[in-house]
Amino acid sequence: MADRRHARGWRRRRARWPELGATLLLSVLVLVATGPPAGAAPAEDGGELVSGVEGAKAALVRIEVSAIADIAHIDHSTGDVNVMMGEYEVPIRSGTGVFTSKDGVVATTGSTLLVTEDQVVVHAANRLFTEQMGTALTGNDGDLSRRAQAVDPYWAPHLQHCYERVEHCILFFRPVYEVLPYTAEPTSAPAELVHPPATAADVGLLRIGGGGGTPTAELAPAGQALPGTALLVAFTQPPDPTVPPSTMTVGVDPGSGALSSEQDLAAALATGGTSGPVLDPATGQVAGLAATVDGQPTVVPTQRLREVLDAAGTPPEGSAFDAVFRQGIDHLTSGHTSGPAASSFRESMTYYESALAAQYVSMTAGAADEPADPTAAAGQDDGGDGVPWPWLGGGAAVALLLLALALLARRRRAGRSDPDPDSADGLPVTVRSAPPEPSPDRTPTVRAPPAPVGAVARPAPGPGQQAPGAPSPVAPPGAPAARDHTRLQRSPAPLPTAGQSATYCWQCGAAVRAGARFCAGCGSPVG
């Protein structure tokens, strides 16, 4: 019997080993496949993402400068006084600016904001003479911002007089500033001039209405030297969610502040890149603003920008968008393209509908974390042989822990069920044997099987009684049907008298005498 139990126990243990081995192998393979934490995520320009740089891009705006011109020409050469008047919107230029505070303050330069009469009068006079006097113009290829010649000889000298602003040509104008932020839906907002720039190389400030949560760029500390290599970020065309800002690597002369680049820097400044922030590529801090002075690209240092902000009473101040958006970029640089990164970008959109944040939301939506090359990471950790030994060790440790937990859970389940040790696969086995020959003067004694662990103990059966639940003896072939000797030898319990309710034994069903504490049939306690 002991050998049979040992054999069955060995078979059960041997049956578990494939399951446990598969669990161990799967755990190790999963950990080896995932590998070490990922490195920094690449940026669109091939470099690494820097939260400060991306934050400055989100804070970029394009500035459209125009003027409302009222022009009048007084003609009294014939003796009669004829007055021709017109009001026109005159486009001046486009430039770039950057938010410096959450209430909508935009920093730019005089290269973008300055508007002069010379820039306004030519366009206004050309419109006046073509629309009011009805004369055609030649010599400017249809460009109203350039001087031309009137085809009608009578009006030809009068047009030149207006260009020179002689006394019989009167001009009034006012600049108009419109800010186009980098939002998920293209929009624009009028802006007021907070601080006018003195020159083209000076800082000017605008403010839009409805600010309160705009992205902002971080300014470099006062007195910090200009970086030798920087990034110029700007809008060379109207902002659009599908078109990112232009990013150009520029060289900076620390002495003169002159800007240079292997790319066409002059063309970028002419198409709207002027006044764009010049960023430290390592931190994304604004080192200065690009400007064009006497045709030479140069940088207005952040020190001057800070002075203007303090003078205007608009110190730099970050927004809630900045913290959450840049946190999302930091998650991306850690290789987490979903989860925390996606949550951060979605939260940033609740503060400001940034087009750049919307792009990152789309990029991280439904994406799984993509770790860096596990082979390269393993080569750094294990001496370069390409085998991730630390991760294998960690995987084995975790697998052993899982194995111990599985065995503990299995033992607890076994403790609750407590199968018969003689059973196979935990199922109880009943061993039957022929009953002993009854002696002539004794009633066969049937012993009850041992009660399972946790079962309620029952009193031992008395002489001539059968244990509850015990199997009936097996009769030999050809023998008459066995009788229930125990039931035949029971003393009949007295029936209840009138007025008494019958009580029955819960074990054998026999009637129980009133007031009795034990069943007369089977001896089980009652009451």
Side-chain angles (χ1 to χ4, degrees):
M1 180 65 70
D3 292 341
R4 290 168 54 193
R5 292 179 182 177
H6 178 73
R8 282 194 292 270
W10 166 247
R11 286 196 298 271
R12 288 196 298 272
R13 290 191 296 271
R14 186 176 59 182
R16 293 196 198 104
W17 282 114
E19 176 186 350
L20 298 178
T23 302
L24 175 61
L25 179 60
L26 180 61
S27 302
V28 173
L29 290 178
V30 168
L31 288 173
V32 171
T34 55
E44 294 180 356
D45 58 2
E48 290 185 354
L49 285 175
V50 178
S51 58
V53 173
E54 297 304 299
K57 290 179 182 179
L60 283 182
V61 301
R62 184 176 173 92
I63 302 172
E64 301 286 356
V65 181
S66 61
I68 302 299
D70 290 294
I71 187 171
H73 179 267
I74 303 173
D75 179 21
H76 52 76
S77 60
T78 61
D80 296 329
V81 178
N82 295 318
V83 180
M84 298 293 184
M85 301 177 59
E87 181 180 273
Y88 307 105
E89 181 178 359
V90 180
I92 303 299
R93 71 178 63 85
S94 298
T96 299
V98 62
F99 285 118
T100 58
S101 66
K102 65 181 182 181
D103 59 350
V105 174
V106 177
T108 185
T109 68
S111 296
T112 297
L113 296 183
L114 287 179
V115 181
T116 64
E117 282 190 350
D118 290 338
Q119 296 167 330
V120 176
V121 70
V122 173
H123 184 282
N126 288 342
R127 294 266 316 259
L128 179 68
F129 276 73
T130 56
E131 296 177 15
Q132 299 296 329
M133 285 69 161
T135 180
L137 303 179
T138 61
N140 65 348
D141 296 329
D143 186 356
L144 295 177
S145 64
R146 295 168 51 193
R147 296 194 178 197
Q149 296 291 330
V151 174
D152 190 327
Y154 178 81
W155 293 115
H158 292 273
L159 177 61
Q160 301 305 314
H161 293 165
C162 270
Y163 289 160
E164 301 300 329
R165 297 183 303 282
V166 296
E167 60 182 8
H168 59 269
C169 191
I170 304 171
L171 175 70
F172 299 95
F173 72 93
R174 59 182 178 85
V176 176
Y177 310 103
E178 187 177 19
V179 170
L180 285 67
Y182 192 24
T183 51
E185 294 292 336
T187 185
S188 62
E192 61 173 336
L193 185 63
V194 177
H195 180 87
T199 63
D202 195 14
V203 174
L205 301 179
L206 299 174
R207 187 200 303 270
I208 64 171
T214 59
T216 66
E218 182 181 358
L219 305 185
Q224 180 171 296
L226 293 171
T229 302
L231 294 177
L232 172 62
V233 292
F235 281 119
T236 57
Q237 55 185 320
D240 186 273
T242 61
V243 180
S246 172
T247 302
M248 181 181 296
T249 302
V250 295
V252 183
D253 186 337
S256 63
L259 297 176
S260 60
S261 178
E262 296 180 356
Q263 299 173 272
D264 194 347
L265 179 58
L269 296 177
T271 54
T274 185
S275 304
V278 178
L279 308 178
D280 184 332
T283 63
Q285 295 176 338
V286 178
L289 301 176
T292 303
V293 181
D294 298 330
Q296 172 62 44
T298 186
V299 59
V300 180
T302 301
Q303 178 64 36
R304 177 55 184 165
L305 174 54
R306 287 186 175 276
E307 293 172 357
V308 171
L309 290 172
D310 291 340
T314 57
E317 183 181 7
S319 66
F321 173 90
D322 299 335
V324 180
F325 176 77
R326 296 183 186 189
Q327 185 180 47
I329 298 297
D330 290 336
H331 284 309
L332 285 183
T333 59
S334 300
H336 303 297
T337 57
S338 64
S343 299
S344 296
F345 293 131
R346 284 194 294 266
E347 182 181 353
S348 68
M349 292 288 290
T350 64
Y351 299 111
Y352 183 82
E353 294 183 357
S354 166
L356 189 58
Q359 292 174 15
Y360 279 114
V361 168
S362 300
M363 184 184 74
T364 57
D369 289 352
E370 298 179 359
D373 184 3
T375 304
Q380 297 174 0
D381 293 337
D382 58 24
D385 60 0
V387 180
W389 296 113
W391 291 98
L392 285 174
V398 173
L400 290 175
L401 177 61
L402 295 177
L403 174 60
L405 293 176
L407 290 176
L408 179 60
R410 193 179 187 95
R411 178 166 296 181
R412 288 182 177 177
R413 289 195 301 269
R416 288 194 298 266
S417 59
D418 191 27
D420 189 343
D422 290 339
S423 64
D425 298 329
L427 298 178
V429 176
T430 303
V431 180
R432 299 179 183 270
S433 60
E437 289 295 333
S439 59
D441 56 346
R442 296 183 58 186
T443 302
T445 301
V446 181
R447 301 183 183 274
V453 176
V456 178
R458 305 297 181 193
Q465 297 178 356
Q466 180 180 358
S472 300
V474 179
R483 297 182 178 181
D484 188 349
H485 298 281
T486 58
R487 186 173 296 276
L488 291 177
Q489 291 182 358
R490 289 177 188 156
S491 302
L495 296 177
T497 60
Q500 293 181 342
S501 59
T503 303
Y504 299 92
C505 176
W506 64 275
Q507 182 67 35
C508 65
V512 179
R513 184 176 64 254
R517 298 179 58 188
F518 297 94
C519 175
C522 66
S524 299
V526 296

